[in-house]
PDB file of all heavy atoms in Angstrom:
ATOM      1  N   GLY H1364       3.658  10.948   1.031  1.00 94.00           N
ATOM      2  CA  GLY H1364       2.709  10.837  -0.026  1.00 94.00           C
ATOM      3  C   GLY H1364       1.287  10.502   0.409  1.00 94.00           C
ATOM      4  O   GLY H1364       0.990  10.601   1.612  1.00 94.00           O
ATOM      5  N   THR H1365       0.452  10.173  -0.506  1.00 94.00           N
ATOM      6  CA  THR H1365      -0.956   9.980  -0.253  1.00 94.00           C
ATOM      7  C   THR H1365      -1.352   8.539  -0.798  1.00 94.00           C
ATOM      8  O   THR H1365      -0.468   7.822  -1.309  1.00 94.00           O
ATOM      9  CB  THR H1365      -1.827  11.001  -1.022  1.00 94.00           C
ATOM     10  OG1 THR H1365      -1.687  10.808  -2.479  1.00 94.00           O
ATOM     11  CG2 THR H1365      -1.391  12.419  -0.637  1.00 94.00           C
ATOM     12  N   ASP H1366      -2.623   8.260  -0.802  1.00 90.00           N
ATOM     13  CA  ASP H1366      -3.011   6.993  -1.343  1.00 90.00           C
ATOM     14  C   ASP H1366      -3.043   6.902  -2.894  1.00 90.00           C
ATOM     15  O   ASP H1366      -3.436   5.861  -3.410  1.00 90.00           O
ATOM     16  CB  ASP H1366      -4.322   6.362  -0.728  1.00 90.00           C
ATOM     17  CG  ASP H1366      -5.525   7.276  -1.047  1.00 90.00           C
ATOM     18  OD1 ASP H1366      -5.417   8.221  -1.805  1.00 90.00           O
ATOM     19  OD2 ASP H1366      -6.578   6.916  -0.446  1.00 90.00           O
ATOM     20  N   GLN H1367      -2.622   7.927  -3.440  1.00 92.00           N
ATOM     21  CA  GLN H1367      -2.486   7.947  -4.963  1.00 92.00           C
ATOM     22  C   GLN H1367      -1.021   7.693  -5.387  1.00 92.00           C
ATOM     23  O   GLN H1367      -0.722   7.078  -6.302  1.00 92.00           O
ATOM     24  CB  GLN H1367      -2.988   9.223  -5.546  1.00 92.00           C
ATOM     25  CG  GLN H1367      -2.979   9.165  -7.080  1.00 92.00           C
ATOM     26  CD  GLN H1367      -3.600  10.316  -7.718  1.00 92.00           C
ATOM     27  OE1 GLN H1367      -4.040  11.254  -7.098  1.00 92.00           O
ATOM     28  NE2 GLN H1367      -3.816  10.224  -8.990  1.00 92.00           N
ATOM     29  N   ARG H1368      -0.057   8.237  -4.506  1.00 93.00           N
ATOM     30  CA  ARG H1368       1.314   7.909  -4.763  1.00 93.00           C
ATOM     31  C   ARG H1368       2.036   8.080  -3.450  1.00 93.00           C
ATOM     32  O   ARG H1368       1.786   9.053  -2.703  1.00 93.00           O
ATOM     33  CB  ARG H1368       1.954   8.766  -5.843  1.00 93.00           C
ATOM     34  CG  ARG H1368       1.841  10.288  -5.493  1.00 93.00           C
ATOM     35  CD  ARG H1368       3.128  10.971  -5.902  1.00 93.00           C
ATOM     36  NE  ARG H1368       3.038  12.368  -5.456  1.00 93.00           N
ATOM     37  CZ  ARG H1368       3.552  12.716  -4.222  1.00 93.00           C
ATOM     38  NH1 ARG H1368       4.104  11.866  -3.395  1.00 93.00           N
ATOM     39  NH2 ARG H1368       3.381  13.983  -3.851  1.00 93.00           N
ATOM     40  N   ALA H1369       2.911   7.165  -3.167  1.00 95.00           N
ATOM     41  CA  ALA H1369       3.652   7.309  -1.796  1.00 95.00           C
ATOM     42  C   ALA H1369       4.935   6.503  -1.840  1.00 95.00           C
ATOM     43  O   ALA H1369       5.122   5.640  -2.700  1.00 95.00           O
ATOM     44  CB  ALA H1369       2.733   6.813  -0.739  1.00 95.00           C
ATOM     45  N   ARG H1370       5.749   6.790  -0.842  1.00 96.00           N
ATOM     46  CA  ARG H1370       6.960   6.050  -0.482  1.00 96.00           C
ATOM     47  C   ARG H1370       6.899   5.689   0.982  1.00 96.00           C
ATOM     48  O   ARG H1370       6.585   6.613   1.761  1.00 96.00           O
ATOM     49  CB  ARG H1370       8.164   6.860  -0.847  1.00 96.00           C
ATOM     50  CG  ARG H1370       9.534   6.228  -0.471  1.00 96.00           C
ATOM     51  CD  ARG H1370      10.736   7.013  -0.747  1.00 96.00           C
ATOM     52  NE  ARG H1370      10.830   7.281  -2.205  1.00 96.00           N
ATOM     53  CZ  ARG H1370      10.897   8.456  -2.717  1.00 96.00           C
ATOM     54  NH1 ARG H1370      10.904   9.612  -2.052  1.00 96.00           N
ATOM     55  NH2 ARG H1370      11.074   8.566  -4.057  1.00 96.00           N
ATOM     56  N   PHE H1371       7.264   4.492   1.376  1.00 96.00           N
ATOM     57  CA  PHE H1371       7.268   4.180   2.797  1.00 96.00           C
ATOM     58  C   PHE H1371       8.249   3.012   2.968  1.00 96.00           C
ATOM     59  O   PHE H1371       8.643   2.324   2.071  1.00 96.00           O
ATOM     60  CB  PHE H1371       5.914   3.756   3.195  1.00 96.00           C
ATOM     61  CG  PHE H1371       5.277   2.543   2.545  1.00 96.00           C
ATOM     62  CD1 PHE H1371       5.401   1.307   3.113  1.00 96.00           C
ATOM     63  CD2 PHE H1371       4.654   2.646   1.356  1.00 96.00           C
ATOM     64  CE1 PHE H1371       4.928   0.155   2.482  1.00 96.00           C
ATOM     65  CE2 PHE H1371       4.109   1.571   0.667  1.00 96.00           C
ATOM     66  CZ  PHE H1371       4.261   0.332   1.244  1.00 96.00           C
ATOM     67  N   THR H1372       8.603   2.812   4.236  1.00 95.00           N
ATOM     68  CA  THR H1372       9.425   1.699   4.586  1.00 95.00           C
ATOM     69  C   THR H1372       8.717   0.726   5.477  1.00 95.00           C
ATOM     70  O   THR H1372       7.857   1.096   6.250  1.00 95.00           O
ATOM     71  CB  THR H1372      10.729   2.167   5.278  1.00 95.00           C
ATOM     72  OG1 THR H1372      10.369   2.776   6.588  1.00 95.00           O
ATOM     73  CG2 THR H1372      11.568   3.049   4.453  1.00 95.00           C
ATOM     74  N   VAL H1373       9.170  -0.590   5.372  1.00 96.00           N
ATOM     75  CA  VAL H1373       8.753  -1.676   6.325  1.00 96.00           C
ATOM     76  C   VAL H1373       9.968  -2.213   6.957  1.00 96.00           C
ATOM     77  O   VAL H1373      10.942  -2.582   6.236  1.00 96.00           O
ATOM     78  CB  VAL H1373       7.959  -2.742   5.523  1.00 96.00           C
ATOM     79  CG1 VAL H1373       7.626  -3.860   6.491  1.00 96.00           C
ATOM     80  CG2 VAL H1373       6.637  -2.148   4.954  1.00 96.00           C
ATOM     81  N   THR H1374      10.003  -2.205   8.269  1.00 96.00           N
ATOM     82  CA  THR H1374      11.147  -2.839   8.994  1.00 96.00           C
ATOM     83  C   THR H1374      10.669  -4.111   9.590  1.00 96.00           C
ATOM     84  O   THR H1374       9.730  -4.143  10.354  1.00 96.00           O
ATOM     85  CB  THR H1374      11.694  -1.908  10.069  1.00 96.00           C
ATOM     86  OG1 THR H1374      12.083  -0.643   9.421  1.00 96.00           O
ATOM     87  CG2 THR H1374      12.844  -2.484  10.766  1.00 96.00           C
ATOM     88  N   SER H1375      11.346  -5.228   9.184  1.00 96.00           N
ATOM     89  CA  SER H1375      11.121  -6.503   9.701  1.00 96.00           C
ATOM     90  C   SER H1375      11.701  -6.560  11.057  1.00 96.00           C
ATOM     91  O   SER H1375      12.955  -6.263  11.222  1.00 96.00           O
ATOM     92  CB  SER H1375      11.717  -7.600   8.774  1.00 96.00           C
ATOM     93  OG  SER H1375      11.529  -8.841   9.349  1.00 96.00           O
ATOM     94  N   ALA H1376      10.979  -6.993  12.072  1.00 96.00           N
ATOM     95  CA  ALA H1376      11.556  -7.026  13.458  1.00 96.00           C
ATOM     96  C   ALA H1376      10.816  -8.006  14.291  1.00 96.00           C
ATOM     97  O   ALA H1376       9.695  -8.405  14.023  1.00 96.00           O
ATOM     98  CB  ALA H1376      11.433  -5.604  14.086  1.00 96.00           C
ATOM     99  N   GLY H1377      11.516  -8.381  15.410  1.00 95.00           N
ATOM    100  CA  GLY H1377      11.003  -9.447  16.266  1.00 95.00           C
ATOM    101  C   GLY H1377      11.195 -10.857  15.759  1.00 95.00           C
ATOM    102  O   GLY H1377      12.155 -11.149  15.144  1.00 95.00           O
ATOM    103  N   THR H1378      10.241 -11.638  16.069  1.00 95.00           N
ATOM    104  CA  THR H1378      10.374 -13.129  15.667  1.00 95.00           C
ATOM    105  C   THR H1378       9.185 -13.489  14.769  1.00 95.00           C
ATOM    106  O   THR H1378       8.202 -12.711  14.692  1.00 95.00           O
ATOM    107  CB  THR H1378      10.416 -14.024  16.928  1.00 95.00           C
ATOM    108  OG1 THR H1378       9.189 -13.869  17.592  1.00 95.00           O
ATOM    109  CG2 THR H1378      11.569 -13.706  17.813  1.00 95.00           C
ATOM    110  N   GLY H1379       9.307 -14.599  14.150  1.00 96.00           N
ATOM    111  CA  GLY H1379       8.194 -15.152  13.373  1.00 96.00           C
ATOM    112  C   GLY H1379       8.152 -14.722  11.952  1.00 96.00           C
ATOM    113  O   GLY H1379       7.089 -14.826  11.284  1.00 96.00           O
ATOM    114  N   GLN H1380       9.306 -14.323  11.387  1.00 96.00           N
ATOM    115  CA  GLN H1380       9.324 -13.916  10.000  1.00 96.00           C
ATOM    116  C   GLN H1380       8.850 -15.228   9.208  1.00 96.00           C
ATOM    117  O   GLN H1380       9.309 -16.353   9.482  1.00 96.00           O
ATOM    118  CB  GLN H1380      10.733 -13.448   9.525  1.00 96.00           C
ATOM    119  CG  GLN H1380      11.019 -12.064   9.913  1.00 96.00           C
ATOM    120  CD  GLN H1380      11.329 -11.855  11.387  1.00 96.00           C
ATOM    121  OE1 GLN H1380      11.502 -12.797  12.184  1.00 96.00           O
ATOM    122  NE2 GLN H1380      11.461 -10.648  11.824  1.00 96.00           N
ATOM    123  N   GLY H1381       8.025 -14.973   8.199  1.00 96.00           N
ATOM    124  CA  GLY H1381       7.534 -16.136   7.390  1.00 96.00           C
ATOM    125  C   GLY H1381       7.451 -15.752   5.939  1.00 96.00           C
ATOM    126  O   GLY H1381       7.515 -14.529   5.549  1.00 96.00           O
ATOM    127  N   ALA H1382       7.198 -16.705   5.134  1.00 96.00           N
ATOM    128  CA  ALA H1382       7.216 -16.560   3.678  1.00 96.00           C
ATOM    129  C   ALA H1382       5.956 -15.700   3.272  1.00 96.00           C
ATOM    130  O   ALA H1382       4.849 -15.815   3.803  1.00 96.00           O
ATOM    131  CB  ALA H1382       7.111 -17.890   3.011  1.00 96.00           C
ATOM    132  N   ASN H1383       6.186 -14.854   2.296  1.00 96.00           N
ATOM    133  CA  ASN H1383       5.135 -14.061   1.579  1.00 96.00           C
ATOM    134  C   ASN H1383       4.314 -13.210   2.476  1.00 96.00           C
ATOM    135  O   ASN H1383       3.045 -13.280   2.282  1.00 96.00           O
ATOM    136  CB  ASN H1383       4.382 -15.044   0.680  1.00 96.00           C
ATOM    137  CG  ASN H1383       5.204 -15.852  -0.192  1.00 96.00           C
ATOM    138  OD1 ASN H1383       6.176 -15.445  -0.761  1.00 96.00           O
ATOM    139  ND2 ASN H1383       4.881 -17.177  -0.276  1.00 96.00           N
ATOM    140  N   PRO H1384       4.877 -12.425   3.340  1.00 97.00           N
ATOM    141  CA  PRO H1384       3.956 -11.591   4.167  1.00 97.00           C
ATOM    142  C   PRO H1384       3.449 -10.391   3.321  1.00 97.00           C
ATOM    143  O   PRO H1384       3.931 -10.071   2.191  1.00 97.00           O
ATOM    144  CB  PRO H1384       4.954 -10.975   5.176  1.00 97.00           C
ATOM    145  CG  PRO H1384       6.322 -11.045   4.520  1.00 97.00           C
ATOM    146  CD  PRO H1384       6.250 -12.189   3.620  1.00 97.00           C
ATOM    147  N   THR H1385       2.357  -9.834   3.823  1.00 98.00           N
ATOM    148  CA  THR H1385       1.691  -8.770   2.982  1.00 98.00           C
ATOM    149  C   THR H1385       1.621  -7.407   3.810  1.00 98.00           C
ATOM    150  O   THR H1385       1.671  -7.349   5.023  1.00 98.00           O
ATOM    151  CB  THR H1385       0.255  -9.127   2.686  1.00 98.00           C
ATOM    152  OG1 THR H1385      -0.500  -9.429   3.888  1.00 98.00           O
ATOM    153  CG2 THR H1385       0.245 -10.449   1.808  1.00 98.00           C
ATOM    154  N   ILE H1386       1.465  -6.392   2.936  1.00 98.00           N
ATOM    155  CA  ILE H1386       1.243  -4.970   3.444  1.00 98.00           C
ATOM    156  C   ILE H1386      -0.070  -4.627   2.830  1.00 98.00           C
ATOM    157  O   ILE H1386      -0.283  -4.661   1.655  1.00 98.00           O
ATOM    158  CB  ILE H1386       2.322  -4.086   2.901  1.00 98.00           C
ATOM    159  CG1 ILE H1386       3.750  -4.601   3.228  1.00 98.00           C
ATOM    160  CG2 ILE H1386       2.135  -2.613   3.406  1.00 98.00           C
ATOM    161  CD1 ILE H1386       4.815  -4.027   2.329  1.00 98.00           C
ATOM    162  N   THR H1387      -1.069  -4.215   3.693  1.00 98.00           N
ATOM    163  CA  THR H1387      -2.341  -3.872   3.137  1.00 98.00           C
ATOM    164  C   THR H1387      -2.596  -2.368   3.478  1.00 98.00           C
ATOM    165  O   THR H1387      -2.459  -1.898   4.637  1.00 98.00           O
ATOM    166  CB  THR H1387      -3.460  -4.621   3.828  1.00 98.00           C
ATOM    167  OG1 THR H1387      -3.267  -6.001   3.587  1.00 98.00           O
ATOM    168  CG2 THR H1387      -4.806  -4.228   3.294  1.00 98.00           C
ATOM    169  N   LEU H1388      -2.828  -1.577   2.425  1.00 97.00           N
ATOM    170  CA  LEU H1388      -3.158  -0.205   2.514  1.00 97.00           C
ATOM    171  C   LEU H1388      -4.630  -0.056   2.154  1.00 97.00           C
ATOM    172  O   LEU H1388      -5.053  -0.421   1.042  1.00 97.00           O
ATOM    173  CB  LEU H1388      -2.347   0.686   1.585  1.00 97.00           C
ATOM    174  CG  LEU H1388      -2.791   2.114   1.363  1.00 97.00           C
ATOM    175  CD1 LEU H1388      -2.670   2.888   2.709  1.00 97.00           C
ATOM    176  CD2 LEU H1388      -2.038   2.782   0.246  1.00 97.00           C
ATOM    177  N   THR H1389      -5.440   0.419   3.118  1.00 96.00           N
ATOM    178  CA  THR H1389      -6.832   0.754   2.792  1.00 96.00           C
ATOM    179  C   THR H1389      -6.789   2.216   2.366  1.00 96.00           C
ATOM    180  O   THR H1389      -6.300   3.112   3.101  1.00 96.00           O
ATOM    181  CB  THR H1389      -7.726   0.523   3.987  1.00 96.00           C
ATOM    182  OG1 THR H1389      -7.640  -0.822   4.370  1.00 96.00           O
ATOM    183  CG2 THR H1389      -9.185   0.966   3.736  1.00 96.00           C
ATOM    184  N   PHE H1390      -7.297   2.436   1.155  1.00 94.00           N
ATOM    185  CA  PHE H1390      -7.187   3.762   0.598  1.00 94.00           C
ATOM    186  C   PHE H1390      -7.885   4.847   1.509  1.00 94.00           C
ATOM    187  O   PHE H1390      -9.023   4.737   1.884  1.00 94.00           O
ATOM    188  CB  PHE H1390      -7.863   3.859  -0.792  1.00 94.00           C
ATOM    189  CG  PHE H1390      -7.091   3.022  -1.813  1.00 94.00           C
ATOM    190  CD1 PHE H1390      -7.714   2.031  -2.547  1.00 94.00           C
ATOM    191  CD2 PHE H1390      -5.782   3.251  -2.065  1.00 94.00           C
ATOM    192  CE1 PHE H1390      -7.030   1.236  -3.432  1.00 94.00           C
ATOM    193  CE2 PHE H1390      -5.032   2.534  -2.931  1.00 94.00           C
ATOM    194  CZ  PHE H1390      -5.679   1.462  -3.715  1.00 94.00           C
ATOM    195  N   LYS H1391      -7.093   5.768   1.962  1.00 92.00           N
ATOM    196  CA  LYS H1391      -7.385   6.724   2.972  1.00 92.00           C
ATOM    197  C   LYS H1391      -8.498   7.711   2.474  1.00 92.00           C
ATOM    198  O   LYS H1391      -9.333   8.172   3.321  1.00 92.00           O
ATOM    199  CB  LYS H1391      -6.207   7.455   3.378  1.00 92.00           C
ATOM    200  CG  LYS H1391      -6.408   8.408   4.600  1.00 92.00           C
ATOM    201  CD  LYS H1391      -5.144   8.824   5.204  1.00 92.00           C
ATOM    202  CE  LYS H1391      -5.356   9.544   6.507  1.00 92.00           C
ATOM    203  NZ  LYS H1391      -4.128   9.607   7.258  1.00 92.00           N
ATOM    204  N   ASP H1392      -8.517   8.017   1.252  1.00 92.00           N
ATOM    205  CA  ASP H1392      -9.487   9.017   0.722  1.00 92.00           C
ATOM    206  C   ASP H1392     -10.712   8.356   0.142  1.00 92.00           C
ATOM    207  O   ASP H1392     -11.416   8.887  -0.607  1.00 92.00           O
ATOM    208  CB  ASP H1392      -8.812   9.899  -0.349  1.00 92.00           C
ATOM    209  CG  ASP H1392      -7.790  10.862   0.349  1.00 92.00           C
ATOM    210  OD1 ASP H1392      -8.124  11.357   1.391  1.00 92.00           O
ATOM    211  OD2 ASP H1392      -6.790  11.177  -0.290  1.00 92.00           O
ATOM    212  N   GLY H1393     -10.964   7.107   0.624  1.00 91.00           N
ATOM    213  CA  GLY H1393     -12.200   6.441   0.201  1.00 91.00           C
ATOM    214  C   GLY H1393     -12.067   5.546  -0.977  1.00 91.00           C
ATOM    215  O   GLY H1393     -10.988   5.382  -1.590  1.00 91.00           O
ATOM    216  N   THR H1394     -13.154   4.934  -1.279  1.00 94.00           N
ATOM    217  CA  THR H1394     -13.274   3.923  -2.354  1.00 94.00           C
ATOM    218  C   THR H1394     -13.095   4.678  -3.738  1.00 94.00           C
ATOM    219  O   THR H1394     -13.704   5.678  -4.007  1.00 94.00           O
ATOM    220  CB  THR H1394     -14.543   3.246  -2.314  1.00 94.00           C
ATOM    221  OG1 THR H1394     -14.678   2.645  -1.012  1.00 94.00           O
ATOM    222  CG2 THR H1394     -14.719   2.200  -3.381  1.00 94.00           C
ATOM    223  N   TRP H1395     -12.305   4.091  -4.580  1.00 93.00           N
ATOM    224  CA  TRP H1395     -12.132   4.556  -5.976  1.00 93.00           C
ATOM    225  C   TRP H1395     -13.447   4.158  -6.710  1.00 93.00           C
ATOM    226  O   TRP H1395     -14.102   3.191  -6.348  1.00 93.00           O
ATOM    227  CB  TRP H1395     -10.959   3.888  -6.651  1.00 93.00           C
ATOM    228  CG  TRP H1395      -9.603   4.342  -6.131  1.00 93.00           C
ATOM    229  CD1 TRP H1395      -8.990   4.040  -4.985  1.00 93.00           C
ATOM    230  CD2 TRP H1395      -8.671   5.159  -6.838  1.00 93.00           C
ATOM    231  NE1 TRP H1395      -7.718   4.609  -4.889  1.00 93.00           N
ATOM    232  CE2 TRP H1395      -7.528   5.302  -5.974  1.00 93.00           C
ATOM    233  CE3 TRP H1395      -8.643   5.807  -8.068  1.00 93.00           C
ATOM    234  CZ2 TRP H1395      -6.437   6.056  -6.357  1.00 93.00           C
ATOM    235  CZ3 TRP H1395      -7.519   6.557  -8.417  1.00 93.00           C
ATOM    236  CH2 TRP H1395      -6.500   6.667  -7.556  1.00 93.00           C
ATOM    237  N   THR H1396     -13.789   4.849  -7.840  1.00 93.00           N
ATOM    238  CA  THR H1396     -14.945   4.499  -8.575  1.00 93.00           C
ATOM    239  C   THR H1396     -14.805   3.106  -9.104  1.00 93.00           C
ATOM    240  O   THR H1396     -15.673   2.279  -9.094  1.00 93.00           O
ATOM    241  CB  THR H1396     -15.111   5.490  -9.737  1.00 93.00           C
ATOM    242  OG1 THR H1396     -15.157   6.800  -9.144  1.00 93.00           O
ATOM    243  CG2 THR H1396     -16.418   5.235 -10.459  1.00 93.00           C
ATOM    244  N   VAL H1397     -13.623   2.730  -9.589  1.00 94.00           N
ATOM    245  CA  VAL H1397     -13.234   1.404 -10.048  1.00 94.00           C
ATOM    246  C   VAL H1397     -11.838   1.165  -9.504  1.00 94.00           C
ATOM    247  O   VAL H1397     -11.143   2.124  -9.110  1.00 94.00           O
ATOM    248  CB  VAL H1397     -13.198   1.180 -11.557  1.00 94.00           C
ATOM    249  CG1 VAL H1397     -14.683   1.322 -12.077  1.00 94.00           C
ATOM    250  CG2 VAL H1397     -12.281   2.121 -12.218  1.00 94.00           C
ATOM    251  N   ALA H1398     -11.374  -0.073  -9.425  1.00 95.00           N
ATOM    252  CA  ALA H1398     -10.059  -0.366  -8.942  1.00 95.00           C
ATOM    253  C   ALA H1398      -9.006   0.393  -9.797  1.00 95.00           C
ATOM    254  O   ALA H1398      -9.088   0.296 -11.030  1.00 95.00           O
ATOM    255  CB  ALA H1398      -9.714  -1.849  -9.026  1.00 95.00           C
ATOM    256  N   PRO H1399      -8.147   1.112  -9.197  1.00 94.00           N
ATOM    257  CA  PRO H1399      -7.114   1.850  -9.949  1.00 94.00           C
ATOM    258  C   PRO H1399      -6.057   0.984 -10.494  1.00 94.00           C
ATOM    259  O   PRO H1399      -5.910  -0.187 -10.075  1.00 94.00           O
ATOM    260  CB  PRO H1399      -6.537   2.823  -8.875  1.00 94.00           C
ATOM    261  CG  PRO H1399      -6.659   2.033  -7.598  1.00 94.00           C
ATOM    262  CD  PRO H1399      -7.919   1.307  -7.769  1.00 94.00           C
ATOM    263  N   PHE H1400      -5.313   1.530 -11.484  1.00 95.00           N
ATOM    264  CA  PHE H1400      -4.197   0.768 -11.981  1.00 95.00           C
ATOM    265  C   PHE H1400      -2.989   1.157 -11.054  1.00 95.00           C
ATOM    266  O   PHE H1400      -2.818   2.318 -10.784  1.00 95.00           O
ATOM    267  CB  PHE H1400      -3.800   1.187 -13.428  1.00 95.00           C
ATOM    268  CG  PHE H1400      -4.827   0.772 -14.436  1.00 95.00           C
ATOM    269  CD1 PHE H1400      -5.846   1.600 -14.819  1.00 95.00           C
ATOM    270  CD2 PHE H1400      -4.815  -0.517 -14.927  1.00 95.00           C
ATOM    271  CE1 PHE H1400      -6.788   1.310 -15.738  1.00 95.00           C
ATOM    272  CE2 PHE H1400      -5.735  -0.927 -15.883  1.00 95.00           C
ATOM    273  CZ  PHE H1400      -6.736  -0.035 -16.334  1.00 95.00           C
ATOM    274  N   VAL H1401      -2.244   0.189 -10.599  1.00 96.00           N
ATOM    275  CA  VAL H1401      -1.217   0.515  -9.706  1.00 96.00           C
ATOM    276  C   VAL H1401       0.156  -0.132 -10.073  1.00 96.00           C
ATOM    277  O   VAL H1401       0.118  -1.205 -10.705  1.00 96.00           O
ATOM    278  CB  VAL H1401      -1.562  -0.081  -8.254  1.00 96.00           C
ATOM    279  CG1 VAL H1401      -0.507   0.085  -7.187  1.00 96.00           C
ATOM    280  CG2 VAL H1401      -2.843   0.544  -7.704  1.00 96.00           C
ATOM    281  N   VAL H1402       1.224   0.576  -9.802  1.00 96.00           N
ATOM    282  CA  VAL H1402       2.569   0.043 -10.041  1.00 96.00           C
ATOM    283  C   VAL H1402       3.314   0.168  -8.752  1.00 96.00           C
ATOM    284  O   VAL H1402       3.288   1.259  -8.119  1.00 96.00           O
ATOM    285  CB  VAL H1402       3.337   0.848 -11.164  1.00 96.00           C
ATOM    286  CG1 VAL H1402       4.671   0.349 -11.322  1.00 96.00           C
ATOM    287  CG2 VAL H1402       2.564   0.749 -12.535  1.00 96.00           C
ATOM    288  N   VAL H1403       3.998  -0.919  -8.324  1.00 96.00           N
ATOM    289  CA  VAL H1403       4.740  -0.885  -7.026  1.00 96.00           C
ATOM    290  C   VAL H1403       6.158  -1.277  -7.338  1.00 96.00           C
ATOM    291  O   VAL H1403       6.345  -2.182  -8.167  1.00 96.00           O
ATOM    292  CB  VAL H1403       4.092  -1.916  -6.098  1.00 96.00           C
ATOM    293  CG1 VAL H1403       4.930  -1.957  -4.766  1.00 96.00           C
ATOM    294  CG2 VAL H1403       2.590  -1.635  -5.775  1.00 96.00           C
TER     295      VAL H1403
END
């Protein structure tokens, strides 16, 4: 997919797992005119 709709996996690995980690996607095709509505 793209920064408009996508599917991806995150594999937890190594040590140091902690509460409430984040995944940050910087929109690849540039800044939206206004923040888009997103459903995850």
